[in-house]
Amino acid sequence: MNETEILQEMTEKAASIVFFGGAGVSTESGIPDFRSVDGLYSQTYQYPPETILSHEFFMNNTEEFYHFYRNKMLYLEAKPNDAHVKLAELEAHGKLKVVITQNIDGLHQLAGSKQVLELHGSVHRNYCMRCHQFYPVQMIQESQGVPKCNCGGTIKPDVVLYGEGLNSDVMSQSVAAIRNADVLIIGGTSLGVYPAAGLIDYYRGKNLVLVNKSSTPMDSRANLIIKGSIGQVFKQLKWSEN
């Protein structure tokens, strides 16, 4: 059996699968990875992306934040790829219990996944910092300068910026899901971003699968490692025919 066939067999025998994904899940939909060679971190701006995408910068340079955010963080034309689609199929068959994602693009939901835990929030949710009214992403995209609520408050994307903590409820649900999983599939992430990467420590099963183009610090702990494009790997799986 090759690696993909082993993964197929694991999923067929599993009762509770959790998928934990990073930027590599979305790059195949045309959304750049911050940390890749061609990603945002390797490009030149007036300020480093890490600075612009920080809570402090948002509060003190809101208009400049939004100039960058609209140009570099919104990919509303992106479509789900084979990985997103296959994960939604696996959930529909009752095998996959939850998708835990570091991405903020909403592509898992667009593909049909229902149980999605977004560690870093979503560009599709935006709220007034004064009255907490929510606004869709289209309002942010179509606005000019700093988007304002009807009450006059500043609207903020519901994404976790540098200097902000992860949502405690989302983290708690993620920990519980991973603890209860008999198969944990980690895909498209170098497992270098904490505290999200630390979630792997809560897995107690014996079917830890890593699907990534490059090596990760957790390779030695994996029961199955598949090097390559996550979309190409998942495309070979036949959950829809089970």
Side-chain angles (χ1 to χ4, degrees):
M1 296 176 69
N2 63 32
E3 294 161 340
T4 305
E5 289 171 338
I6 295 172
L7 176 59
Q8 176 82 52
E9 185 176 67
M10 277 186 182
T11 60
E12 289 172 351
K13 293 180 177 178
S16 178
I17 302 170
V18 169
F19 178 81
F20 174 46
V25 179
S26 293
T27 52
E28 292 168 50
S29 293
I31 299 177
D33 177 1
F34 272 28
R35 292 167 179 80
S36 67
V37 174
D38 299 319
L40 291 180
Y41 285 1
S42 65
Q43 300 177 25
T44 303
Y45 298 95
Q46 185 175 354
Y47 298 94
E50 302 99 317
T51 299
I52 299 173
L53 297 174
S54 68
H55 178 81
E56 182 178 4
F57 193 91
F58 174 82
M59 298 301 293
N60 296 326
N61 304 274
T62 313
E63 186 167 356
E64 191 161 354
F65 167 91
Y66 268 112
H67 176 70
F68 177 91
Y69 184 81
R70 290 189 186 95
N71 289 335
K72 298 298 180 181
M73 301 302 293
L74 298 181
Y75 292 87
L76 304 187
E77 73 288 351
K79 303 297 183 185
N81 59 54
D82 289 316
H84 296 108
V85 172
K86 286 293 185 177
L87 287 166
E89 289 177 2
L90 188 58
E91 180 185 335
H93 284 284
K95 295 282 191 177
L96 182 68
K97 301 307 179 184
V98 68
V99 168
I100 302 169
T101 180
Q102 298 179 79
N103 300 325
I104 60 175
D105 48 54
L107 290 180
H108 285 291
Q109 291 93 329
L110 190 59
S113 290
K114 307 297 184 185
Q115 301 300 319
V116 182
L117 295 173
E118 297 169 312
L119 295 174
H120 297 153
S122 173
V123 299
H124 294 278
R125 298 189 301 270
N126 304 274
Y127 64 94
C128 172
M129 297 177 69
R130 179 184 294 174
C131 74
H132 304 292
Q133 180 174 336
F134 270 75
Y135 289 87
V137 66
Q138 288 76 15
M139 187 273 188
I140 303 299
Q141 186 179 50
E142 296 168 5
S143 63
Q144 301 292 322
V146 179
K148 293 289 186 178
C149 176
N150 295 328
C151 77
T154 297
I155 298 173
K156 181 183 183 296
D158 189 14
V159 298
V160 179
L161 302 176
Y162 288 98
E164 297 178 344
L166 301 187
N167 182 285
S168 59
D169 288 339
V170 173
M171 282 294 286
S172 296
Q173 292 177 61
S174 299
V175 168
I178 288 174
R179 276 180 171 158
N180 293 323
D182 51 14
V183 176
L184 174 60
I185 305 172
I186 299 177
T189 173
S190 61
L191 291 171
V193 179
Y194 284 82
L199 287 170
I200 190 175
D201 294 332
Y202 294 97
Y203 180 59
R204 297 171 178 174
K206 297 180 179 179
N207 292 299
L208 174 59
V209 182
L210 297 182
V211 184
N212 201 44
K213 290 182 177 179
S214 59
S215 299
T216 80
M218 302 298 180
D219 282 7
S220 62
R221 296 171 57 176
N223 304 99
L224 175 64
I225 298 174
I226 304 178
K227 294 285 182 66
S229 156
I230 189 167
Q232 290 300 314
V233 170
F234 275 58
K235 186 178 182 179
Q236 300 174 57
L237 302 174
K238 306 297 182 182
W239 297 319
S240 60
E241 300 175 6
N242 289 348

